[in-house]
Amino acid sequence: MKNTPLTLAVLALCTAAGSAQAQSNVQVYGLLDVGMETATNQTPTGGSMTRVISGGMNTSRWGLRGSEDLGGSLKAVFNLEGGILMDTGAQDGALFKRQANVGLEGAFGRVVVGRSFTTVYDTVIGFDPMGFAPFYSWATSGPATGPSKYGFTTQYDNIIKYAGTFGDWRIGANYAAGEQTTGTQDSAKTGFSTVYKIGGANLMATWERNNGNTLPATGNRDKNTVWHVGGSYETGPVKLWAVLRDYKLVAGKALTTDVDATTTWAGIAYKTGGATTLTGAVYHVNVKNVAAGKDADPTMYVARYRYALSKRTDLHVTAAYAKAKNGQLTGLSRDDPGYGTTQRGLTIGMQHRY
């Protein structure tokens, strides 16, 4: 076997996890999701494509996480997590692109430092019917086709993040240092979130601001502000969701149009008495601040069938349809552009958690 840097890193981490078991709680975990997709308008000539995909329902990943009891209800915690491309076996970005942090946890809540998912991500993921599925969800961002995805940031480098639960309230905050010599506000990122539980309902609100660097020509910087309000309600086998997101990018560059859009989505899930869950969702992006007749205002409809073979293994089938207005292009994917005013897609896959 060829000893690549990734191979050596994995072996070293697994060895460390085993030797540390006696002193602390260390867990090796992961999620593997692979399947097939067929979709229309996948090429500039309008051709369809069938392909093997990684992450039909969730992004594939592996990681190490753990804690050590420090006494007095205080724990040291850590998390290392990287992505996997199941169709090729390749590493998805940096070794620990998803998470790399250490921190403390106690009655006050949890504080971590390093690279982590944002407090907005931690909150909004619970209010997306499709669970941020790579195929198909616009909860993190809209379709890749177009000038902007109108979404929020899922992870930050250089983050200091707090999360705490107090009765029916759950709150979070994070600050990511821009680490620029031109000033502390250049490239700085800030976010807040809150969730309130009342009976079978959960209500949430989030806010984040991402700064660019100051431009010498104008003395201004890009300022990207995103906020959400939404809720969910669960009764018996049925769960409902509804969320509104407002996105605005104020340009620091002179004579540059600001980017503005509002995204809304709603969904319903029904769990049968057996192992089946049926989910439906609708996502819509209201594109603003563009020339008349140039707003795509795309809408996507999604339906998923999920069957649990066990507590850790699921089969899933998802169908989706996206359309745009005014002859503009759109697609189902938040990563791959579509080449038509509509796109249809179908995925069939399997997921295993360990």
Side-chain angles (χ1 to χ4, degrees), residues 10-332:
V10 172
L11 291 174
L13 287 167
C14 290
T15 301
S19 63
Q21 189 67 37
Q23 294 83 27
S24 60
N25 171 28
V26 179
Q27 178 187 9
V28 180
Y29 69 94
L31 185 153
L32 307 176
D33 193 320
V34 67
M36 299 283 294
E37 182 204 30
T38 182
T40 61
N41 288 325
Q42 291 274 48
T43 68
T45 57
S48 299
M49 182 186 299
T50 299
R51 57 178 175 168
V52 174
I53 57 171
S54 177
M57 191 164 61
N58 290 111
T59 305
S60 298
R61 81 291 301 260
W62 74 281
L64 295 168
R65 60 188 169 207
S67 63
E68 181 186 13
D69 189 348
L70 302 176
S73 300
L74 185 65
K75 295 191 296 184
V77 295
F78 80 92
N79 196 182
L80 298 170
E81 185 176 296
I84 305 170
L85 298 176
M86 291 295 291
D87 52 336
T88 63
Q91 177 180 308
D92 185 7
L95 178 58
F96 296 120
K97 172 185 174 181
R98 294 174 61 86
Q99 303 226 59
N101 57 71
V102 66
L104 293 172
E105 182 178 309
F108 58 87
R110 181 184 181 105
V111 177
V112 298
V113 181
R115 177 171 173 82
S116 178
F117 292 112
T118 67
T119 187
V120 174
Y121 173 93
D122 290 343
T123 300
V124 179
I125 190 172
F127 292 84
D128 179 16
M130 305 307 293
F132 291 173
F135 303 82
Y136 306 100
S137 168
W138 288 352
T140 53
S141 66
T145 305
S148 176
K149 294 187 176 185
Y150 312 112
F152 65 93
T153 309
T154 57
Q155 295 137 314
Y156 288 151
D157 292 335
N158 316 314
I159 197 173
I160 303 170
K161 185 173 79 170
Y162 168 78
T165 300
F166 305 95
D168 293 327
W169 286 95
R170 179 160 50 94
I171 60 174
N174 58 227
Y175 173 77
E179 301 187 354
Q180 304 296 307
T181 59
T182 51
T184 57
Q185 290 305 305
D186 277 0
S187 292
K189 302 170 180 64
T190 308
F192 301 95
S193 68
T194 185
V195 177
Y196 179 65
K197 181 175 177 59
I198 177 169
N202 286 279
L203 306 175
M204 71 88 167
T206 76
W207 180 91
E208 77 171 24
R209 165 69 61 78
N210 298 326
N211 288 341
N213 290 337
T214 300
L215 300 173
T218 63
N220 297 321
R221 63 174 72 90
D222 285 354
K223 294 180 180 180
N224 178 203
T225 305
V226 182
W227 56 262
H228 297 81
V229 291
S232 66
Y233 180 73
E234 189 168 6
T235 175
V238 177
K239 188 170 184 178
L240 305 169
W241 297 266
V243 176
L244 181 148
R245 169 170 65 235
D246 188 76
Y247 172 103
K248 188 166 186 179
L249 173 63
V250 177
K253 186 177 180 181
L255 303 177
T256 301
T257 303
D258 296 341
V259 180
D260 196 2
T262 298
T263 301
T264 53
W265 68 83
I268 181 171
Y270 175 73
K271 294 182 180 179
T272 68
T276 298
T277 301
L278 303 174
T279 305
V282 180
Y283 302 84
H284 176 72
V285 182
N286 179 19
V287 180
K288 305 174 183 178
N289 210 31
V290 297
K294 296 296 183 181
D295 48 334
D297 289 351
T299 302
M300 178 169 66
Y301 304 90
V302 190
R304 174 195 289 158
Y305 170 85
R306 179 175 181 175
Y307 184 82
L309 295 174
S310 70
K311 291 183 178 181
R312 297 189 299 169
T313 304
D314 297 283
L315 300 177
H316 52 86
V317 179
T318 306
Y321 169 71
K323 64 177 182 178
K325 293 174 18 180
N326 296 318
Q328 302 298 304
L329 301 180
T330 193
L332 298 166

